[in-house]
Amino acid sequence: MQLTLRKLAPALVVMTLALAGCKTAPTKSGAAATPDASGQQQPSSQQPATASVVEFYVAQTQAGPGLVEVSLPDGKIYMQQQPVLTRADLTEAAALVDRQGANFVGLRFSEAGARKLNEISSKNVGNMLALVIDRELIAAPRIGEPLNRGVLAFGVPSAKAASDIAAKIRGDSAPAAGATPAPAPAKP
């Protein structure tokens, strides 16, 4: 597996996410709609064709059989070859700011995803949960305790990084640089 490396946040610690006291960026709600043969809008349960591939892998600092080596600026980690969680296990991704002004990406898992996260984290305390988006390592926080609340947050260096990562995880399409939004239609 060939991965590129995004600059990781200095603190690589998995934290359970306490939403109280955190400000969240708006998230996309509701399913996308697609026109049917008659031109009527019908809800779509599929992700957009351009959606990023979001995967989580268990990783550790020691080499082992079946693990893939990933070089980091300050060392190496060794990841499992198969993801343990994917975007399908998530229900929400948001840019967050805590009371001290630190930036985070907060993730909320579906009921099934929360069960998987709890099981994976319980078996891997001390290892890392690597977030990979489009084959780019975004974060590899250490699992400090079983994550049994169905939520996860990891620190990022800036509010822009938090917004960008959350948008990629949600599958939002970003406007092109310099693009201006289309004007709202006039009310009759």
Side-chain angles (χ1 to χ4, degrees):
M1 173 188 300
Q2 186 73 25
L3 292 176
T4 57
L5 174 66
R6 183 181 187 107
K7 184 176 179 185
L8 298 178
L12 294 177
V13 177
V14 170
M15 298 171 287
T16 53
L17 175 63
L19 291 177
C22 291
K23 300 175 188 172
T24 62
T27 60
K28 185 167 72 173
S29 62
T34 55
D36 65 9
S38 67
Q40 296 294 320
Q41 294 291 319
Q42 298 297 320
S44 171
S45 61
Q46 296 179 344
Q47 291 291 336
T50 59
S52 298
V53 176
V54 178
E55 299 170 317
F56 297 84
Y57 296 83
V58 173
Q60 59 190 44
T61 56
Q62 300 297 315
L67 299 179
V68 176
E69 180 180 298
V70 178
S71 294
L72 303 174
D74 58 349
K76 296 178 183 181
I77 63 171
Y78 301 88
M79 292 184 358
Q80 292 179 349
Q81 293 183 24
Q82 295 298 313
V84 293
L85 295 160
T86 67
R87 172 186 304 188
D89 295 305
L90 295 169
T91 61
E92 185 178 352
L96 305 172
V97 180
D98 70 9
R99 291 183 179 140
Q100 290 75 37
N103 295 289
F104 296 89
V105 173
L107 305 174
R108 183 175 306 279
F109 289 81
S110 66
E111 189 175 317
R115 281 192 302 271
K116 285 194 236 178
L117 178 64
N118 183 38
E119 182 180 332
I120 291 159
S121 63
S122 295
K123 292 178 180 177
N124 289 285
V125 171
N127 287 333
M128 293 169 271
L129 188 62
L131 169 60
V132 176
I133 301 176
D134 291 336
R135 302 185 66 79
E136 179 182 10
L137 179 63
I138 302 299
R142 189 162 306 279
I143 300 169
E145 62 185 18
L147 302 170
N148 57 12
R149 295 186 182 141
V151 291
L152 168 68
F154 57 92
V156 294
S158 68
K160 180 169 179 10
S163 287
D164 290 350
I165 292 167
K168 273 185 147 180
I169 292 169
R170 288 190 307 266
D172 293 353
S173 57
T180 56
K187 293 185 180 181

